[in-house]
Amino acid sequence: MSTPFDGVGIWVLGARWGGTPIIAAEAAAYKAAGVQWAAVKVSDGITGGGNAVIQDMQACWDGGLAVIPWTFIEPTAGDAGAQMHVCFLASGSGQVVAIADVEAQPTNIASLTNQFGAAGTAVTTWGNPLPAHPGQPSIGQLADLGVAAILPQAYAGAWRVTEAQAIATMVQSYAACGLGSKMPPLLPIGDTGNMLAFAQAAKAAGCQGVSAFRHGANGITAAGFQGVAEVFAPPVTPPDPAPAPIQLTAGTVYLTPKGDRLTLG
């Protein structure tokens, strides 16, 4: 199942939220290293990020990255759909996809996809991957909403495990939800400088892409993405081999492609 969130991404928190702003040259460096999209935080509950957010988004566009607005769904700030509307407005409108950070149960989660639509909405979930994390919406609820993808925070660095162990923990956790084919695609977020190892482990687990949290932190640089995009690139189909030459025999009648008869003397 293809989603708008497949491939390789980078998260941009920006100065408005205590992160590092991005400039077009940095976005271009990520692009050259194979990063395809940037999740830019544009709102938090009912609060938008203002001009600083638009500047971050513009820098990513100028650097050649697709921009996906991202918002934290504040559980005490009211209806989740209303908060997604703030995300829509804060991102300059016109967006068709968005990522909602739902680390706790918001009011009326059933309206989460109202603004962008299920096909254009992904969710990122808590750093602790266990389904029993207190207060969060169940994975079953998210699946029932038809969200396009789940972006779990498989933080090998924070958990002090290898990238492969972080992916294995994620897979085991979500398998325990028992949703089977109803489970939305999992596209994990990593927090280490070894994105290649993270991507290889994710690909082996059946994931269609990965992203890194975050620009300007955790030792994550454009150089750290070298080779990552190739992990998720579709296989190259080799060209058909040239037909082998045919040995013709004198005195034999042959049909040409046009249906004519050819007799060799």
Side-chain angles (χ1 to χ4, degrees), residues 43 70 87 109 119 190-191 231:
S43 61
W70 148 46
C87 174
I109 191 173
D191 70 338
V231 173

Side-chain angles (χ1 to χ4, degrees), residues 2 16 45 63 101 113 172 197 213 240 247 249:
S2 177
R16 172 65 177 81
D101 187 344
T113 58
Q172 292 167 6
F213 188 82
D240 293 333
Q247 182 67 46
T249 304

Side-chain angles (χ1 to χ4, degrees), residues 100-103 123-128 139 142 150-153 174:
D101 187 344
V102 284
E103 300 195 23
V123 297
T124 175
T125 58
W126 48 95
N128 179 345
I139 299 303
L142 298 177
I150 296 176
L151 282 60
Q153 298 158 17
Y174 284 91

Side-chain angles (χ1 to χ4, degrees), residues 21-96:
I22 189 169
I23 61 175
E26 292 168 326
Y30 285 123
K31 177 71 173 179
V35 176
Q36 295 149 285
W37 55 265
V40 178
K41 185 165 186 181
V42 301
S43 61
D44 195 341
I46 58 173
T47 304
N51 290 336
V53 161
I54 299 301
Q55 290 169 4
D56 280 334
M57 295 178 72
Q58 187 64 54
C60 290
W61 278 318
D62 291 345
L65 298 180
V67 177
I68 300 175
W70 148 46
T71 185
F72 175 72
I73 302 296
E74 170 55 57
T76 63
D79 184 280
Q83 294 183 59
M84 288 298 281
H85 183 62
V86 172
C87 174
F88 182 78
L89 296 176
S91 64
S93 302
Q95 300 291 333
V96 294

